[in-house]
């Protein structure tokens, strides 16, 4: 069930962590904090940089999980990214407090402990540290420089579109680093944190043909409502004076305003990662004494969202020898994704789907395709999607077992053959017996 108003009072009852000050943390303070967390919680954290900004500042990511340094089969990957627009600073600070809260509560809070044990979380507090530095002396809640990176490029308009469209923008180092990161990890779910409104938006950010609605709209609506209804007020949809009223506090991105080159669409279309954009504050750069309130409003939403990576089904596509099949295509009937979902190098697939009955088509080069029907339960309370491994037969290994267009002889055909063989043998027994006729089936 979607979270309802019963969540609204929960956030007021949970004490916040006092170990991290509510203030604006500059690049040096941010880096120092991340190194300190990694040092103090080395068994469940891993700190790494995915690249550098135009000015040479590291793009730091802190991974949190039971196996923080590497991907493990069956453990889904989730990422949160803040500060893609340098002057939108609330998300940057919320992610620092989220890190602090998660590691401190591990082993004490059962929900947080299960989240960390069942998920590998990646948190990038700032994708645009150069833009953030440009807002240093800005007046609070006033238009500022720093939205763009040092080369004056809006990073959330800088990602490749699909189908490809003409663009004069050169890919920026921050964009290249994030693209490489996204395409080389098995990310399943993602949030990008922004400011300037209070709403959750989801794909598409641009119109694909004549539609703004993506094939997995039902899943995105569920994800977005889960965040907005876990939030203290987002679901009302009228938090900011200068923005439209958003029903349930959610919107398809393109139906609010259309943009090209967004990170959200790149994640979903080209990296099979379900990313949502969360606008966290009417004021992009609020004063530090308001940050505690933002944390109280968003904490439950940010924590609850991790659990949603366990929607749907996951597993491996394997050959007859239980070896993983890379780049196997996974299609869900009725969902025509612009780029089909594929397995990773370990043969893994993760498919976010709401509870229900689905038909999956699995295919891979050199293998016979297979179609399976699955009943997907609501497994969120178990912190694991339905696990379903699928084996494909090699065309070179089993050519004699194939008929027609390459499908395996059906179970019915095989049963008929076995029945005929059984009757033949039984008749032979009858004719050769010197006793009374006995038919043995």
């Amino acid at each position: 069930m979607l979270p309802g108003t019963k969540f609204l009072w929960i956030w007021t009852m949970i004490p916040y962590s006092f170990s991290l000050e509510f203030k604006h943390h500059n690049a040096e303070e941010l880096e120092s904090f991340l190194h300190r967390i990694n040092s103090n919680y080395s068994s469940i954290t891993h700190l790494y940089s995915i690249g550098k900004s135009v000015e040479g500042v590291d793009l730091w990511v802190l991974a949190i999980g039971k196996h923080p340094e590497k991907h493990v089969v069956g453990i889904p990957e989730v990422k949160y990214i803040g500060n893609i627009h340098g002057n939108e600073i609330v998300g940057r600070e919320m992610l620092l407090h989220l890190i602090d809260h998660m590691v401190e509560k591990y082993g004490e809070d059962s929900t947080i402990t299960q989240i960390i044990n069942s998920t590998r979380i990646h948190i990038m507090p700032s994708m645009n540290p150069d833009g953030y530095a440009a807002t240093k002396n800005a007046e609070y809640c006033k238009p500022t420089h720093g939205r763009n990176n040092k080369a004056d490029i809006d990073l959330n308009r800088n990602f490749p579109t699909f189908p490809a469209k003409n663009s004069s923008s050169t890919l920026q180092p921050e964009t290249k680093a994030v693209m490489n990161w996204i395409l080389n990890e098995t990310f399943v779910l993602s949030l990008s944190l922004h400011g300037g409104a209070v709403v959750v938006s989801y794909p598409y950010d641009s119109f694909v043909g004549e539609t703004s609605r993506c094939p997995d709209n039902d899943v995105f609506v569920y994800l977005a409502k889960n965040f907005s209804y876990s939030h203290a007020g987002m679901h009302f949809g009228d938090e900011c004076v200068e923005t439209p009223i958003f029903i349930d506090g959610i919107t398809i991105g393109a139906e609010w305003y259309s943009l090209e080159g967004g990170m959200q669409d790149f994640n979903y279309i080209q990296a099979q990662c379900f990313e949502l954009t969360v606008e966290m504050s009417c004021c992009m750069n609020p004063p530090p004494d308001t940050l505690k309130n933002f944390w109280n409003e968003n904490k439950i939403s940010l924590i609850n969202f991790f659990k949603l990576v366990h929607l749907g089904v996951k597993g491996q596509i394997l050959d007859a020898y239980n070896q993983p099949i890379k780049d196997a295509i996974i299609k869900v009937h009725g969902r025509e994704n612009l780029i089909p979902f594929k397995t990773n190098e370990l043969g893994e697939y993760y498919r976010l789907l709401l509870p229900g009955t689905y038909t999956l088509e699995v295919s891979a080069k050199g293998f016979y395709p297979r179609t399976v029907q699955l009943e997907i339960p609501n497994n969120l309370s178990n912190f694991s999607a339905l696990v379903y491994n699928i084996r494909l037969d090699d065309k070179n290994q089993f050519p004699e077992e194939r008929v027609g267009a390459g499908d395996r002889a059906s179970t019915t055909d095989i049963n008929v053959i076995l029945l005929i063989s059984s009757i033949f043998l039984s008749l032979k027994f009858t004719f050769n017996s010197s006793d009374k006729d006995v038919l043995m089936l």
Side-chain angles (χ1 to χ4, degrees):
M1 296 292 292
L2 286 171
T5 55
K6 65 180 180 180
F7 285 103
L8 302 183
W9 56 269
I10 298 177
W11 63 269
T12 63
M13 300 178 60
I14 301 179
Y16 63 89
S17 170
F18 288 92
S19 58
L20 180 66
E21 184 180 355
F22 284 102
K23 55 170 283 186
H24 299 314
H25 293 83
N26 62 31
E28 293 77 16
E29 291 168 330
L30 183 149
E31 183 175 344
S32 176
F33 168 76
L34 294 177
H35 278 288
R36 185 171 69 252
I37 290 291
N38 183 221
S39 176
N40 292 342
Y41 300 92
S42 57
S43 65
I44 58 168
T45 65
H46 170 57
L47 182 62
Y48 63 99
S49 170
I50 65 165
K52 294 181 182 294
S53 69
V54 171
E55 288 281 274
V57 180
D58 277 299
L59 303 178
W60 290 110
V61 177
L62 188 79
I64 306 174
K66 194 172 182 179
H67 307 281
E69 295 187 7
K70 62 180 181 180
H71 177 70
V72 174
V73 171
I75 302 294
E77 312 274 346
V78 181
K79 62 181 170 66
Y80 287 4
I81 297 177
N83 211 200
I84 185 173
H85 291 140
N87 63 342
E88 298 172 11
I89 58 89
V90 174
R92 173 188 175 109
E93 296 303 326
M94 295 303 98
L95 291 182
L96 295 182
H97 283 277
L98 180 64
I99 289 170
D100 195 43
H101 184 75
M102 295 293 287
V103 297
E104 283 194 352
K105 295 301 180 182
Y106 181 70
E108 297 181 7
D109 181 285
S110 61
T111 296
I112 289 175
T113 300
Q114 287 178 298
I115 288 171
I116 291 175
N117 285 343
S118 64
T119 316
R120 187 168 175 236
I121 297 163
H122 305 252
I123 297 179
M124 177 189 285
S126 181
M127 182 178 160
N128 186 3
D130 299 348
Y132 177 82
T135 70
K136 183 177 180 180
N137 297 317
E139 186 177 354
Y140 296 127
C141 292
K142 298 292 184 181
T144 67
H145 297 292
R147 174 183 175 88
N148 298 344
N149 74 342
K150 187 66 175 180
D152 200 25
I153 298 296
D154 186 331
L155 297 177
N156 203 36
R157 307 292 187 275
N158 192 232
F159 284 81
T161 57
F162 184 90
K165 299 179 182 179
N166 293 331
S167 175
S168 59
S169 296
T170 302
L171 289 179
Q172 295 299 294
E174 298 92 342
T175 309
K176 290 179 181 178
V178 170
M179 286 175 57
N180 182 65
W181 182 44
I182 291 171
L183 295 174
N184 285 282
E185 287 283 3
T186 309
F187 289 120
V188 181
L189 188 61
S190 177
L191 287 181
S192 176
L193 306 185
H194 291 247
V198 179
V199 67
V200 180
S201 74
Y202 52 93
Y204 294 124
D205 265 337
S206 62
F207 286 89
V208 177
E210 297 181 353
T211 184
S212 63
R213 182 168 296 198
C214 71
D216 293 292
N217 186 74
D218 59 335
V219 179
F220 276 109
V221 168
Y222 179 86
L223 296 172
K225 284 187 177 181
N226 192 288
F227 194 100
S228 70
Y229 275 89
S230 297
H231 186 278
M234 184 180 288
H235 61 286
F236 293 122
D238 59 355
E239 292 285 289
C240 304
V241 174
E242 297 181 356
T243 59
I245 293 177
F246 300 104
I247 297 174
D248 294 316
I250 69 173
T251 182
I252 294 175
E255 293 185 359
W256 181 12
Y257 62 91
S258 183
L259 63 91
E260 301 289 343
M263 183 169 67
Q264 176 173 269
D265 283 3
F266 177 82
N267 269 274
Y268 173 60
I269 297 172
Q270 303 192 51
Q272 57 198 47
C273 173
F274 286 56
E275 178 166 280
L276 289 80
T277 299
V278 178
E279 304 278 352
M280 307 190 85
S281 61
C282 304
C283 169
M284 296 181 185
N285 59 325
D289 60 7
T290 64
L291 294 175
K292 177 182 172 182
N293 290 334
F294 286 118
W295 172 239
N296 286 334
E297 291 173 351
N298 286 279
K299 180 197 301 183
I300 296 300
S301 295
L302 291 168
I303 294 172
N304 279 349
F305 199 76
F306 287 131
K307 296 188 289 186
L308 302 185
V309 76
H310 300 299
L311 285 170
V313 60
K314 65 182 179 182
Q316 287 180 286
I317 309 302
L318 306 166
D319 64 17
Y321 300 99
N322 287 331
Q323 295 302 304
I325 301 175
K326 180 185 177 183
D327 291 333
I329 294 175
I330 314 293
K331 291 185 177 180
V332 180
H333 279 194
R335 295 169 191 262
E336 296 299 323
N337 296 92
L338 294 176
I339 298 177
F341 282 39
K342 295 182 178 181
T343 56
N344 63 14
E345 292 184 351
L346 300 171
E348 287 180 286
Y349 73 98
Y350 295 85
R351 195 61 172 87
L352 295 185
L353 295 166
L354 300 184
T357 302
Y358 298 89
T359 300
L360 272 60
E361 293 181 356
V362 183
S363 60
K365 186 177 181 180
F367 293 85
Y368 291 100
R370 185 173 173 189
T371 299
V372 297
Q373 190 174 71
L374 298 177
E375 183 69 32
I376 296 180
N378 183 350
N379 255 4
L380 290 179
S381 61
N382 297 328
F383 292 87
S384 174
L386 173 69
V387 179
Y388 195 87
N389 297 330
I390 300 172
R391 286 178 174 78
L392 300 182
D393 288 336
D394 192 315
K395 289 182 178 179
N396 294 322
Q397 187 177 5
F398 302 105
E400 73 284 355
E401 295 183 17
R402 303 300 162 179
V403 295
D407 292 332
R408 180 188 289 274
S410 70
T411 302
T412 302
D413 295 336
I414 294 172
N415 287 341
V416 169
I417 293 170
L418 291 174
L419 178 60
I420 293 172
S421 299
S422 177
I423 293 173
F424 173 79
L425 290 173
S426 64
L427 289 174
K428 182 177 180 181
F429 175 85
T430 300
F431 292 142
N432 291 338
S433 174
S434 57
D435 300 324
K436 63 180 181 179
D437 292 348
V438 178
L439 185 62
M440 303 209 32
L441 293 176

